[in-house]
């Protein structure tokens, strides 16, 4: 069974053809080892990936390109970049297995709206890539009135307008999480990808999530993971609890995403540690 | 498994007299971090260092054995060590980092390593994570209540605090005071009441006092890396060890306490679920 049909079946996007069970031994293996990556990459058609750039700062794709050690291998042998500004010399959006959408969508920008809708039509899977696409991030603060387009005022996470299959929040997401996600995708490692699928539903992020969903819920244990992970240093710890400086918060949702008391991927962690 | 996945469990203590003097139990944390620093396995460590107020620790990046030793001893209140990890790498330029963490802190660190969504270039720099056992932790105000109100002395006089044998013990220069643990109940942070990890099941090496005699620690090695470092330290004479079968009270007590914690807190989890409150576990 090809990787993409495996993913689609998992996501319930398409029912699998009856004859697909032919190679059960291979499709059952989901280890993330490098040999495995190569093997799967050889066996399966390369996933066709498109990159759609909406209202974001390009930081997410820059973070992707920081995976120097695997980037060449990734781009030449493991995936096909079939669409994307600066990445592929293509004007017509082709059919894609996966569309990585960076940036939130501006309601006043016809072109962005059109790109997003078209991506949903042409891609089997849509991934909100980075916090602007996932939660709106700092574009949530926009009130319009700026040059060169004073009318560009309202920016939304893409899941407000289209169905999103998975999200990789981060402002930007780390190079490592991008590499890990791509490897898991190529391996069809659905266990690893489950949190990304769940996070597609998180279309709002804020430092105040820590207070509302952790401290107020009697779950905070003062570990400091939120303060460590905030990419704008908006979170400090006072008396063992997070204290958020709202002026610094860009609403990326990372502090709550990294908090050990928001969701807890126990099996994956044990697997990664060999425990 | 009530003690998590592990390779080996031994009773041990640091041979260094200075470490024995300042450490809480067998000086495993201080001894192992200092050894890893000496051997260049790590270049620095995040520890619960002394804060502005006595008994109110602050996470600190220790770059020398002296700084690690200065942070020895248990402080029964928050020291958000995880928050300092990024600083240690970014501001201190540490490429190979060690740290000590109570179980819930190890969870924050391990989750970040498996899913580093917004955390770049930190996950693979953590080379040694020593977990310490933990039944519960207290807000600082609770400690003040125990010491100032229930025991009637100023926290400034306290030289050591310890929980063991059913009591909270406080040592001053010339006195030993205690209150039954029962009297501390309800003063712990409530996040502890859903915690199922007593013996730091995700540490590279985990340690605590329970199971071993006074002045000794029960050490559990878990990951390949942790097992290797601990054995190197034994070979280098940093620690002396005893077979768990030969020490009192022994492994049975540790298993009992771990099972009790899991059972009690699972009930809280179930109750929360009934009430429709979120629980991550
Ligand atoms: C809140 C708490 C509850 C505990 N409960 C138990 C228990 O129920 N049973 C048990 O056997 N052991 C428990 N321990 C562990 C025990 O008290 C000792 O810390 C452990 O045995 C290590 O002793 P040592 O001599 O090897 O370490 P030492 O050489 O004394 O070093 C201790 C290290 O712990 C760090 N540390 C101290 N306080 C904190 C803190 N609040 N947060 C994070 N790091 C800290 C210090 O920086 C130091 O590096 C608890 C520890 C804490 C912090
Ligand atoms: S506090 Fe920091 S991590 Fe949390 S949402 Fe705001 S900017 Fe993001
Ligand atoms: S990361 Fe730790 S300190 Fe921050 S909110 Fe979550 S439990 Fe509390
Ligand atoms: S009992 Fe659990 S949650 Fe509470 S401080 Fe200890 S390790 Fe953290």
């Amino acid at each position: 069974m090809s990787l993409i049909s495996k993913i689609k079946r998992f996501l319930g996007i398409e029912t699998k053809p009856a004859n697909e069970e032919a190679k059960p031994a291979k499709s059952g293996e989901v280890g993330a080892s490098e040999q495995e990556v190569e093997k799967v990459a050889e066996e399966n058609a390369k996933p066709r990936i498109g990159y759609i750039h909406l209202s974001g700062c390009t930081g997410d794709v820059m973070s992707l390109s920081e995976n120097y050690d695997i980037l060449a291998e990734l781009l030449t042998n493991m995936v096909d970049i079939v669409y994307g500004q600066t990445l592929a010399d293509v004007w017509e959006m082709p059919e894609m297995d996966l569309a990585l959408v960076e940036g939130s969508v501006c309601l006043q920008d016809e072109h962005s709206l059109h790109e997003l809708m078209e991506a949903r039509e042409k891609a089997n899977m849509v991934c909100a890539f980075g916090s602007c696409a996932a939660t709106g991030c700092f574009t949530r603060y926009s009130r319009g009135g700026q040059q060169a387009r004073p009318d560009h005022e309202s920016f939304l996470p893409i899941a407000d307008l289209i169905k999103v299959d998975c999200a990789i929040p981060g402002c930007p997401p780390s190079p490592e999480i991008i590499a890990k996600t791509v490897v898991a995708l190529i391996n069809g490692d659905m266990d690893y990808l489950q949190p990304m699928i769940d996070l597609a539903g998180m279309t709002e992020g804020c430092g105040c999530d820590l207070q509302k969903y952790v401290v107020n819920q009697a779950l905070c244990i003062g570990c400091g993971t939120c303060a460590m992970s905030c990419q704008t240093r908006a979170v400090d710890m006072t008396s063992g609890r997070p204290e958020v400086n709202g002026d610094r918060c860009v609403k990326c949702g990372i502090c709550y995403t990294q908090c050990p008391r928001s969701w807890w991927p126990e099996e994956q962690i044990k697997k990664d540690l060999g425990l | 498994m009530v003690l998590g996945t592990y390779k080996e469990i031994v009773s041990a203590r640091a041979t260094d007299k200075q470490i024995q003097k300042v450490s809480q139990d067998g000086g495993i944390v201080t001894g192992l971090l200092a050894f890893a620093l000496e051997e260049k396995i790590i270049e620095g460590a995040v520890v619960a260092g002394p804060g502005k107020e006595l008994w109110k620790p602050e996470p600190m990046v220790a770059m020398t054995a002296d700084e690690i030793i200065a942070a020895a001893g248990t402080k029964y209140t928050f020291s958000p060590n995880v928050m300092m990890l990024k600083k240690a790498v970014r501001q201190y330029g540490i490429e190979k980092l060690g740290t000590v963490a109570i179980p819930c802190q190890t969870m924050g660190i391990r989750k970040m390593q498996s899913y580093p969504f917004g955390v770049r270039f930190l996950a693979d720099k953590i080379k040694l994570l020593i977990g310490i056992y933990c039944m519960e932790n207290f807000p600082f105000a609770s400690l003040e209540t125990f010491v100032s109100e229930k025991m009637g002395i100023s926290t400034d006089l306290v030289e050591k605090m310890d929980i063991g044998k059913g009591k909270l013990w406080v040592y001053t220069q010339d006195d030993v005071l205690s209150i039954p643990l029962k009297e501390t109940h309800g003063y712990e942070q409530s996040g502890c009441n859903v915690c199922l990890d007593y013996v730091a099941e995700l540490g590279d090496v985990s340690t605590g006092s329970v199971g071993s005699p006074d002045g000794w620690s029960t050490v559990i090695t878990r990951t390949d890396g942790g097992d290797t470092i601990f054995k190197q330290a034994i070979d280098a004479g940093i620690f002396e060890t005893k077979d768990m079968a030969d020490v009192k009270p022994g492994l049975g007590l540790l298993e009992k306490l771990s099972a009790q914690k899991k059972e009690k807190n699972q009930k809280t989890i179930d109750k929360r679920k009934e009430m429709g409150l979120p629980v991550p576990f």
Side-chain angles (χ1 to χ4, degrees):
Chain A
M1 180 180 6
S2 87
L3 157 73
I4 293 301
S5 53
K6 221 184 324 178
I7 294 169
K8 281 188 297 196
R9 182 168 61 123
F10 184 84
L11 295 173
I13 294 170
E14 204 180 76
T15 43
K16 114 197 127 81
N19 64 354
E20 288 266 83
E21 256 341 297
K23 292 192 289 177
K26 292 279 164 12
S27 58
E29 288 173 21
V30 288
S33 75
E34 285 181 22
Q35 302 99 305
E36 193 68 11
V37 176
E38 284 160 20
K39 202 168 69 189
V40 176
E42 270 168 32
E43 280 175 9
N44 297 321
K46 288 192 273 181
R48 290 161 301 156
I49 298 182
Y51 168 70
I52 284 95
H53 190 285
L54 303 180
S55 298
C57 69
T58 325
D60 308 316
V61 81
M62 283 181 45
S63 190
L64 180 147
S65 69
E66 272 190 77
N67 286 296
Y68 311 110
D69 42 343
I70 63 161
L71 195 66
E73 167 73 10
L74 182 72
L75 293 184
T76 41
N77 296 325
M78 285 155 68
V79 302
D80 263 336
I81 302 285
V82 293
Y83 183 73
Q85 263 176 16
T86 73
L87 295 175
D89 189 14
V90 179
W91 288 97
E92 278 292 304
M93 194 185 289
E95 298 283 321
M96 299 167 283
D97 293 310
L98 171 69
L100 291 172
V101 181
E102 167 165 357
S104 57
V105 55
C106 176
L107 290 182
Q108 290 84 15
D109 181 8
E110 279 305 323
H111 176 71
S112 290
L113 287 168
H114 177 78
E115 281 259 305
L116 185 63
M117 300 304 165
E118 194 179 5
R120 179 66 280 182
E121 266 169 43
K122 299 253 169 87
N124 285 323
M125 278 176 70
V126 173
C127 175
F129 181 40
S131 283
C132 282
T135 68
C137 203
F138 81 111
T139 66
R140 286 280 194 187
Y141 287 108
S142 171
R143 294 141 33 99
Q146 75 284 319
Q147 295 297 1
R149 289 301 297 264
D151 59 323
H152 284 192
E153 172 177 341
S154 316
F155 297 81
L156 290 174
I158 60 170
D160 279 10
L161 294 188
I162 61 165
K163 180 177 177 297
V164 172
D165 303 300
C166 65
I168 312 176
C171 183
S174 69
E176 295 106 304
I177 196 74
I178 298 171
K180 278 167 166 277
T181 305
V182 170
V183 168
L185 266 171
I186 290 172
N187 279 325
D189 183 353
M190 283 307 157
D191 294 337
Y192 188 77
L193 295 174
Q194 189 57 49
M196 282 75 161
I197 293 165
D198 296 339
L199 284 168
M202 186 183 85
T203 56
E204 283 178 27
C206 182
C208 59
D209 294 344
L210 301 171
Q211 182 69 29
K212 278 196 294 194
Y213 304 126
V214 193
V215 181
N216 286 170
Q217 303 292 340
L219 289 173
C220 181
I221 31 73
C223 63
T225 307
C226 48
M228 179 272 288
S229 58
C230 175
Q231 291 170 289
T232 65
R233 283 186 259 159
V235 186
D236 212 341
M237 296 295 294
T238 44
S239 302
R241 293 293 177 264
E243 187 172 295
V244 177
N245 176 350
D247 290 345
R248 291 190 78 101
C249 174
V250 295
K251 295 185 177 286
C252 65
I254 281 302
C255 49
Y256 182 70
T257 302
Q258 300 286 168
C259 169
R261 290 295 175 94
S262 56
W263 50 282
W264 178 238
E266 183 169 1
E267 293 308 315
Q268 185 65 43
I269 288 171
K270 289 189 169 160
K271 193 168 132 193
D272 290 350
L273 289 172
L275 293 178
Chain B
M1 247 178 303
V2 75
L3 299 180
T5 309
Y6 61 84
K7 296 201 189 303
E8 235 175 292
I9 307 186
V10 293
S11 191
R13 74 166 176 190
T15 50
D16 185 305
K17 291 277 178 287
Q18 194 197 355
I19 292 181
Q20 281 182 10
K21 221 169 95 199
V22 294
S23 62
Q24 188 74 14
D25 298 308
I28 305 303
V29 177
T30 300
L32 197 56
L33 288 177
F35 171 75
L37 192 72
E38 173 86 359
E39 291 298 308
K40 303 201 163 42
I41 297 165
I42 60 173
E43 297 166 356
V46 172
V47 290
K52 283 179 216 93
E53 242 175 292
L54 202 61
W55 295 108
K56 209 173 183 178
E58 268 168 37
M60 173 184 115
V61 182
M63 303 286 284
T64 63
D66 283 345
E67 286 173 322
I68 292 171
I69 290 171
T74 302
K75 296 91 180 175
Y76 289 98
T77 188
F78 315 123
S79 176
N81 289 1
V82 185
M83 77 181 277
M84 282 303 277
L85 298 177
K86 195 155 73 182
K87 261 194 197 152
V89 169
R90 298 280 200 287
Q91 290 174 15
Y92 292 70
I94 293 172
E95 289 287 317
K96 295 183 285 180
L97 185 60
T99 192
V100 48
I102 46 180
C104 56
Q105 296 177 333
T106 65
M107 290 175 160
I109 297 169
R110 293 311 193 193
K111 179 172 159 181
M112 177 273 291
Q113 289 181 305
S114 283
Y115 287 99
F117 280 105
V119 185
R120 49 189 272 132
F121 303 142
L122 174 60
D124 61 345
K125 296 199 164 69
I126 297 166
K127 301 295 181 197
L128 176 61
L129 173 48
I130 306 177
I132 48 184
Y133 310 164
C134 179
M135 193 57 89
E136 65 214 336
N137 201 358
F138 301 98
F140 186 67
S142 298
L143 288 189
E144 284 182 316
T145 306
F146 304 151
V147 177
S148 313
E149 306 299 322
K150 292 184 186 272
M151 297 180 188
I153 61 162
S154 158
T155 46
D156 291 343
L157 296 175
V158 177
E159 298 197 332
K160 181 174 179 172
M161 288 190 208
D162 193 33
I163 291 179
K165 306 183 183 82
K167 287 186 174 161
L168 169 68
W169 302 87
V170 158
Y171 299 79
T172 65
Q173 200 158 22
D174 35 36
D175 231 344
V176 182
L177 303 162
S178 71
I179 52 170
L181 270 189
K182 244 191 275 145
E183 287 196 35
T184 69
H185 290 165
Y187 286 93
E188 74 279 4
Q189 64 175 342
S190 56
C192 294
N193 297 328
V194 297
C195 174
L196 299 172
D197 189 352
Y198 180 53
V199 288
E201 296 181 22
L202 301 174
D204 289 317
V205 175
S206 306
T207 187
S209 61
V210 169
S212 289
D214 288 350
W216 289 70
S217 292
T218 305
V219 183
I220 308 180
T221 64
R222 300 188 185 279
T223 62
D224 292 335
D227 195 56
T228 308
I229 296 177
F230 186 62
K231 295 217 162 102
Q232 279 174 359
I234 295 172
D235 290 342
I238 304 295
F239 299 119
E240 51 185 320
T241 61
K242 287 181 183 169
D243 205 314
M244 276 317 286
D246 300 334
V247 298
K248 290 246 153 42
L251 210 53
L253 183 63
L254 189 63
E255 286 169 341
K256 188 175 121 191
L257 290 187
S258 181
Q260 276 175 357
K261 177 175 178 177
K262 284 179 194 286
E263 198 184 323
K264 176 170 148 275
N265 291 348
Q266 187 60 50
K267 280 192 192 135
T268 313
I269 290 174
D270 295 342
K271 212 158 81 194
R272 282 182 62 99
K273 285 186 177 159
E274 259 171 50
M275 287 195 284
L277 293 170
V279 193
F281 314 119

